[in-house]
PDB file of all heavy atoms in Angstrom:
ATOM      1  N   ARG A 194      -5.612  -0.616   0.443  1.00  0.00           N
ATOM      2  CA  ARG A 194      -7.024  -0.286   0.651  1.00  0.00           C
ATOM      3  C   ARG A 194      -7.775  -1.520   1.137  1.00  0.00           C
ATOM      4  O   ARG A 194      -7.609  -2.596   0.608  1.00  0.00           O
ATOM      5  CB  ARG A 194      -7.629   0.235  -0.637  1.00  0.00           C
ATOM      6  CG  ARG A 194      -7.087   1.529  -1.089  1.00  0.00           C
ATOM      7  CD  ARG A 194      -7.623   1.877  -2.452  1.00  0.00           C
ATOM      8  NE  ARG A 194      -8.775   2.719  -2.387  1.00  0.00           N
ATOM      9  CZ  ARG A 194      -8.747   4.043  -2.457  1.00  0.00           C
ATOM     10  NH1 ARG A 194      -7.595   4.641  -2.576  1.00  0.00           N
ATOM     11  NH2 ARG A 194      -9.838   4.737  -2.420  1.00  0.00           N
ATOM     12  N   ARG A 195      -8.588  -1.308   2.150  1.00  0.00           N
ATOM     13  CA  ARG A 195      -9.425  -2.386   2.699  1.00  0.00           C
ATOM     14  C   ARG A 195     -10.804  -1.826   2.985  1.00  0.00           C
ATOM     15  O   ARG A 195     -11.010  -0.617   2.966  1.00  0.00           O
ATOM     16  CB  ARG A 195      -8.831  -2.944   4.013  1.00  0.00           C
ATOM     17  CG  ARG A 195      -7.408  -3.460   3.920  1.00  0.00           C
ATOM     18  CD  ARG A 195      -7.370  -4.863   3.304  1.00  0.00           C
ATOM     19  NE  ARG A 195      -6.031  -5.325   3.141  1.00  0.00           N
ATOM     20  CZ  ARG A 195      -5.367  -6.058   4.018  1.00  0.00           C
ATOM     21  NH1 ARG A 195      -5.929  -6.420   5.166  1.00  0.00           N
ATOM     22  NH2 ARG A 195      -4.157  -6.456   3.782  1.00  0.00           N
ATOM     23  N   PHE A 196     -11.739  -2.727   3.268  1.00  0.00           N
ATOM     24  CA  PHE A 196     -13.084  -2.303   3.600  1.00  0.00           C
ATOM     25  C   PHE A 196     -13.400  -2.745   5.026  1.00  0.00           C
ATOM     26  O   PHE A 196     -13.314  -3.931   5.370  1.00  0.00           O
ATOM     27  CB  PHE A 196     -14.104  -2.916   2.631  1.00  0.00           C
ATOM     28  CG  PHE A 196     -15.495  -2.384   2.829  1.00  0.00           C
ATOM     29  CD1 PHE A 196     -15.843  -1.116   2.382  1.00  0.00           C
ATOM     30  CD2 PHE A 196     -16.457  -3.149   3.473  1.00  0.00           C
ATOM     31  CE1 PHE A 196     -17.113  -0.635   2.583  1.00  0.00           C
ATOM     32  CE2 PHE A 196     -17.733  -2.673   3.646  1.00  0.00           C
ATOM     33  CZ  PHE A 196     -18.065  -1.397   3.200  1.00  0.00           C
ATOM     34  N   ASP A 197     -13.740  -1.788   5.891  1.00  0.00           N
ATOM     35  CA  ASP A 197     -14.134  -2.064   7.281  1.00  0.00           C
ATOM     36  C   ASP A 197     -15.604  -2.442   7.271  1.00  0.00           C
ATOM     37  O   ASP A 197     -16.469  -1.585   7.060  1.00  0.00           O
ATOM     38  CB  ASP A 197     -13.882  -0.823   8.123  1.00  0.00           C
ATOM     39  CG  ASP A 197     -14.216  -1.036   9.584  1.00  0.00           C
ATOM     40  OD1 ASP A 197     -15.093  -1.857   9.910  1.00  0.00           O
ATOM     41  OD2 ASP A 197     -13.614  -0.339  10.423  1.00  0.00           O
ATOM     42  N   GLN A 198     -15.897  -3.719   7.487  1.00  0.00           N
ATOM     43  CA  GLN A 198     -17.270  -4.202   7.402  1.00  0.00           C
ATOM     44  C   GLN A 198     -18.121  -3.728   8.582  1.00  0.00           C
ATOM     45  O   GLN A 198     -19.344  -3.584   8.434  1.00  0.00           O
ATOM     46  CB  GLN A 198     -17.288  -5.706   7.309  1.00  0.00           C
ATOM     47  CG  GLN A 198     -16.703  -6.186   5.992  1.00  0.00           C
ATOM     48  CD  GLN A 198     -16.684  -7.695   5.868  1.00  0.00           C
ATOM     49  OE1 GLN A 198     -16.903  -8.427   6.827  1.00  0.00           O
ATOM     50  NE2 GLN A 198     -16.426  -8.189   4.673  1.00  0.00           N
ATOM     51  N   GLU A 199     -17.504  -3.480   9.721  1.00  0.00           N
ATOM     52  CA  GLU A 199     -18.275  -2.996  10.880  1.00  0.00           C
ATOM     53  C   GLU A 199     -18.737  -1.557  10.668  1.00  0.00           C
ATOM     54  O   GLU A 199     -19.865  -1.216  10.987  1.00  0.00           O
ATOM     55  CB  GLU A 199     -17.436  -3.092  12.158  1.00  0.00           C
ATOM     56  CG  GLU A 199     -17.331  -4.474  12.703  1.00  0.00           C
ATOM     57  CD  GLU A 199     -16.614  -4.522  14.028  1.00  0.00           C
ATOM     58  OE1 GLU A 199     -16.637  -3.512  14.763  1.00  0.00           O
ATOM     59  OE2 GLU A 199     -16.000  -5.557  14.332  1.00  0.00           O
ATOM     60  N   GLU A 200     -17.839  -0.712  10.191  1.00  0.00           N
ATOM     61  CA  GLU A 200     -18.156   0.700   9.986  1.00  0.00           C
ATOM     62  C   GLU A 200     -18.673   1.011   8.581  1.00  0.00           C
ATOM     63  O   GLU A 200     -19.118   2.111   8.298  1.00  0.00           O
ATOM     64  CB  GLU A 200     -16.911   1.577  10.266  1.00  0.00           C
ATOM     65  CG  GLU A 200     -16.368   1.436  11.653  1.00  0.00           C
ATOM     66  CD  GLU A 200     -17.314   1.989  12.709  1.00  0.00           C
ATOM     67  OE1 GLU A 200     -18.036   2.978  12.422  1.00  0.00           O
ATOM     68  OE2 GLU A 200     -17.362   1.429  13.822  1.00  0.00           O
ATOM     69  N   CYS A 201     -18.520   0.014   7.664  1.00  0.00           N
ATOM     70  CA  CYS A 201     -18.946   0.185   6.253  1.00  0.00           C
ATOM     71  C   CYS A 201     -18.237   1.344   5.606  1.00  0.00           C
ATOM     72  O   CYS A 201     -18.861   2.179   4.938  1.00  0.00           O
ATOM     73  CB  CYS A 201     -20.453   0.309   6.168  1.00  0.00           C
ATOM     74  SG  CYS A 201     -21.315  -1.208   6.623  1.00  0.00           S
ATOM     75  N   ILE A 202     -16.917   1.397   5.785  1.00  0.00           N
ATOM     76  CA  ILE A 202     -16.103   2.443   5.155  1.00  0.00           C
ATOM     77  C   ILE A 202     -14.828   1.820   4.584  1.00  0.00           C
ATOM     78  O   ILE A 202     -14.368   0.793   5.077  1.00  0.00           O
ATOM     79  CB  ILE A 202     -15.734   3.590   6.133  1.00  0.00           C
ATOM     80  CG1 ILE A 202     -14.964   3.010   7.333  1.00  0.00           C
ATOM     81  CG2 ILE A 202     -16.941   4.389   6.556  1.00  0.00           C
ATOM     82  CD1 ILE A 202     -14.383   4.064   8.235  1.00  0.00           C
ATOM     83  N   GLU A 203     -14.303   2.475   3.573  1.00  0.00           N
ATOM     84  CA  GLU A 203     -13.017   2.072   3.043  1.00  0.00           C
ATOM     85  C   GLU A 203     -11.919   2.700   3.905  1.00  0.00           C
ATOM     86  O   GLU A 203     -12.046   3.845   4.328  1.00  0.00           O
ATOM     87  CB  GLU A 203     -12.910   2.554   1.590  1.00  0.00           C
ATOM     88  CG  GLU A 203     -11.854   1.861   0.813  1.00  0.00           C
ATOM     89  CD  GLU A 203     -11.901   2.186  -0.658  1.00  0.00           C
ATOM     90  OE1 GLU A 203     -12.526   3.184  -1.039  1.00  0.00           O
ATOM     91  OE2 GLU A 203     -11.291   1.434  -1.430  1.00  0.00           O
ATOM     92  N   VAL A 204     -10.861   1.922   4.177  1.00  0.00           N
ATOM     93  CA  VAL A 204      -9.780   2.391   5.041  1.00  0.00           C
ATOM     94  C   VAL A 204      -8.437   2.063   4.408  1.00  0.00           C
ATOM     95  O   VAL A 204      -8.363   1.282   3.464  1.00  0.00           O
ATOM     96  CB  VAL A 204      -9.861   1.737   6.456  1.00  0.00           C
ATOM     97  CG1 VAL A 204     -11.118   2.155   7.194  1.00  0.00           C
ATOM     98  CG2 VAL A 204      -9.722   0.240   6.364  1.00  0.00           C
ATOM     99  N   ALA A 205      -7.388   2.675   4.943  1.00  0.00           N
ATOM    100  CA  ALA A 205      -6.028   2.371   4.535  1.00  0.00           C
ATOM    101  C   ALA A 205      -5.399   1.521   5.626  1.00  0.00           C
ATOM    102  O   ALA A 205      -5.286   1.945   6.765  1.00  0.00           O
ATOM    103  CB  ALA A 205      -5.229   3.653   4.325  1.00  0.00           C
ATOM    104  N   TRP A 206      -5.032   0.285   5.282  1.00  0.00           N
ATOM    105  CA  TRP A 206      -4.409  -0.629   6.230  1.00  0.00           C
ATOM    106  C   TRP A 206      -2.897  -0.526   6.043  1.00  0.00           C
ATOM    107  O   TRP A 206      -2.386  -0.777   4.964  1.00  0.00           O
ATOM    108  CB  TRP A 206      -4.882  -2.051   5.929  1.00  0.00           C
ATOM    109  CG  TRP A 206      -4.410  -3.080   6.909  1.00  0.00           C
ATOM    110  CD1 TRP A 206      -3.129  -3.322   7.298  1.00  0.00           C
ATOM    111  CD2 TRP A 206      -5.217  -4.014   7.599  1.00  0.00           C
ATOM    112  NE1 TRP A 206      -3.104  -4.335   8.183  1.00  0.00           N
ATOM    113  CE2 TRP A 206      -4.352  -4.801   8.401  1.00  0.00           C
ATOM    114  CE3 TRP A 206      -6.583  -4.270   7.615  1.00  0.00           C
ATOM    115  CZ2 TRP A 206      -4.822  -5.822   9.188  1.00  0.00           C
ATOM    116  CZ3 TRP A 206      -7.027  -5.305   8.419  1.00  0.00           C
ATOM    117  CH2 TRP A 206      -6.181  -6.045   9.188  1.00  0.00           C
ATOM    118  N   ASN A 207      -2.222  -0.136   7.084  1.00  0.00           N
ATOM    119  CA  ASN A 207      -0.767   0.092   7.034  1.00  0.00           C
ATOM    120  C   ASN A 207      -0.062  -0.979   7.832  1.00  0.00           C
ATOM    121  O   ASN A 207      -0.463  -1.295   8.946  1.00  0.00           O
ATOM    122  CB  ASN A 207      -0.453   1.452   7.650  1.00  0.00           C
ATOM    123  CG  ASN A 207      -1.235   2.564   6.984  1.00  0.00           C
ATOM    124  OD1 ASN A 207      -0.782   3.115   5.998  1.00  0.00           O
ATOM    125  ND2 ASN A 207      -2.414   2.881   7.499  1.00  0.00           N
ATOM    126  N   ARG A 208       0.989  -1.557   7.268  1.00  0.00           N
ATOM    127  CA  ARG A 208       1.784  -2.600   7.946  1.00  0.00           C
ATOM    128  C   ARG A 208       3.255  -2.190   7.908  1.00  0.00           C
ATOM    129  O   ARG A 208       3.792  -1.942   6.847  1.00  0.00           O
ATOM    130  CB  ARG A 208       1.611  -3.948   7.234  1.00  0.00           C
ATOM    131  CG  ARG A 208       0.201  -4.472   7.271  1.00  0.00           C
ATOM    132  CD  ARG A 208       0.049  -5.748   6.429  1.00  0.00           C
ATOM    133  NE  ARG A 208       1.049  -6.741   6.677  1.00  0.00           N
ATOM    134  CZ  ARG A 208       0.928  -7.736   7.573  1.00  0.00           C
ATOM    135  NH1 ARG A 208      -0.169  -7.834   8.286  1.00  0.00           N
ATOM    136  NH2 ARG A 208       1.893  -8.615   7.752  1.00  0.00           N
TER     137      ARG A 208
END
Side-chain angles (χ1 to χ4, degrees):
R194 292 173 96 94
R195 303 281 177 93
F196 187 75
D197 182 332
Q198 293 179 348
E199 284 186 27
E200 300 294 326
C201 293
I202 58 171
E203 198 170 18
V204 296
W206 185 307
N207 305 271
R208 297 173 49 92

